[in-house]
Amino acid sequence: MDAYSRTVITVAEAVAPHVAAVELMGTGRNGRVRIGAGSAVVFTEDGYMLTNAHVVAGASGGWAAFADGTGTDFEIRGADVLSDLAVIRGLSHMHAPAQLGDAEGLRVGQLVIAVGNPLGLAGSVTAGVVSGLGRSMPAALGRTRRVIEDVIQTDAALNPGNSGGALADAHGRVVGINTAVAGAGLGLAVPINATTRRIIAALMADGRVRRAYLGLASSPVTLNETMALRTGQREGLRVADVITGSPAEHAGLKPGDLVLTVGRRPVSSAESLQKQLFAEAIGVPLPVTVLRNGAMVDVIAVPVEMTE
């Protein structure tokens, strides 16, 4: 057997026992009804699991089933729409936790393996490489258009049943939570990093994350030598989209702008921007410097609190 196949098989066998199929339940006219399904990853010894916010939207609880036939009822601890992360907790039998890694160490071209459990049987495994980092992707969540920040893009194909499953590196460490919110077949994952760990901790403790919201989608770019000398930094964020009615639009930010600093701090990734958008930034004027048509432009944005 070739080395690539051995790596994928080893990672799949190591990660799959920690990934559950989740069936979401809500309240209908005739009592509790099934309203959706997805996957979830066990990440603590006492039964906490990570999944996507869009997977648990509208649910009151549900059932988690593992590949070995065991399962548990679970409660929903909290969800954060802006990161598309949710924390649920099993109420009875639980498996050992997966090992969480750090997506900060990922590189474009690196091997990653997506493990989901859409049927609660043998699970689903696809392999590919990291094809993009630091992306911001607009997505329709319910009736509201939001921006999922700092996603990992891979060519490991996903389907909606794999949403909430694990994206693992070649060592079996979970570096992302898969999301198919942008459409079947497009490989995206929410990274596990310092910012998302802060989000996860807030969801475990309080059931919610108070977030400041700007409403722009961006991707990291490297400045050419002339621009780097002029601005004093080598990277920035290219604005790909500005959400209608958002603080970013009210501030005058436009698609094509190159964001250099936010709050007087250089930004070079979606995470560097996201770090400044927790509760303390809500309602506080935030200076933003952009490069637009060769000119440096300063605007003031006032983030609002992120709501559903």
Side-chain angles (χ1 to χ4, degrees):
M1 186 181 296
D2 62 279
Y4 175 86
S5 296
R6 286 197 300 270
T7 299
V8 174
I9 291 170
T10 299
V11 171
E13 290 177 345
V15 175
H18 312 293
V19 179
V22 292
E23 185 174 25
L24 286 306
M25 306 299 292
T27 303
R29 293 182 178 179
N30 299 318
R32 282 170 62 83
V33 295
R34 182 183 185 275
I35 63 171
S39 300
V41 183
V42 182
F43 72 101
T44 72
E45 293 284 354
D46 52 349
Y48 283 97
M49 293 177 274
L50 282 172
T51 186
N52 292 140
H54 78 268
V55 168
V56 303
S60 57
W63 175 260
F66 293 89
D68 64 359
T70 60
T72 176
D73 288 311
F74 65 81
E75 62 180 2
I76 299 170
R77 291 289 298 164
D80 178 50
V81 174
L82 190 57
S83 65
D84 198 27
L85 285 175
V87 171
I88 62 179
R89 189 178 189 186
L91 301 179
S92 57
H93 173 80
M94 287 306 303
H95 284 235
Q99 180 185 0
L100 296 185
D102 187 353
E104 286 298 293
L106 291 179
R107 296 292 181 267
V108 173
Q110 183 174 337
L111 172 67
V112 284
I113 297 95
V115 182
N117 197 349
L119 300 177
L121 301 173
S124 172
V125 177
T126 57
V129 299
V130 174
S131 51
L133 293 168
R135 307 296 196 202
S136 293
M137 300 291 292
L141 301 179
R143 296 182 178 180
T144 307
R145 195 162 174 243
R146 297 300 187 197
V147 178
I148 308 301
E149 296 282 4
D150 203 28
V151 297
I152 303 164
Q153 184 177 338
T154 93
D155 63 359
L158 301 175
N159 60 62
N162 285 326
S163 282
L167 185 73
D169 64 15
H171 300 285
R173 298 172 297 211
V174 178
V175 293
I177 300 299
N178 298 321
T179 174
V181 70
L186 180 59
L188 301 174
V190 181
I192 301 297
N193 55 32
T195 300
T196 51
R197 285 177 184 271
R198 182 176 174 180
I199 292 167
I200 293 164
L203 292 175
M204 293 172 68
D206 304 319
R208 66 188 292 259
V209 181
R210 292 193 69 215
R211 302 292 300 271
Y213 170 66
L214 274 182
L216 57 83
S218 62
S219 60
V221 296
T222 301
L223 278 63
N224 61 38
E225 186 174 348
T226 301
M227 286 295 102
L229 289 172
R230 180 181 172 189
T231 62
Q233 61 189 83
R234 299 203 61 84
E235 296 176 305
L237 287 176
R238 180 73 68 188
V239 177
D241 192 20
V242 176
I243 306 302
T244 301
S246 69
E249 184 186 54
H250 293 317
L253 291 171
K254 303 177 184 299
D257 284 348
L258 179 61
V259 181
L260 299 173
T261 66
V262 175
R264 310 300 183 197
R265 298 177 182 176
V267 291
S268 58
S269 66
E271 187 190 5
S272 64
L273 174 60
Q274 195 176 20
K275 285 178 180 177
Q276 299 190 54
L277 295 176
F278 283 95
E280 58 272 16
I282 297 169
V284 178
L286 189 66
V288 180
T289 300
V290 303
L291 188 65
R292 179 187 298 163
N293 299 324
M296 304 280 278
V297 178
D298 293 316
V299 302
I300 300 294
V302 182
V304 298
E305 183 167 3
M306 177 71 178
T307 57
E308 294 295 333

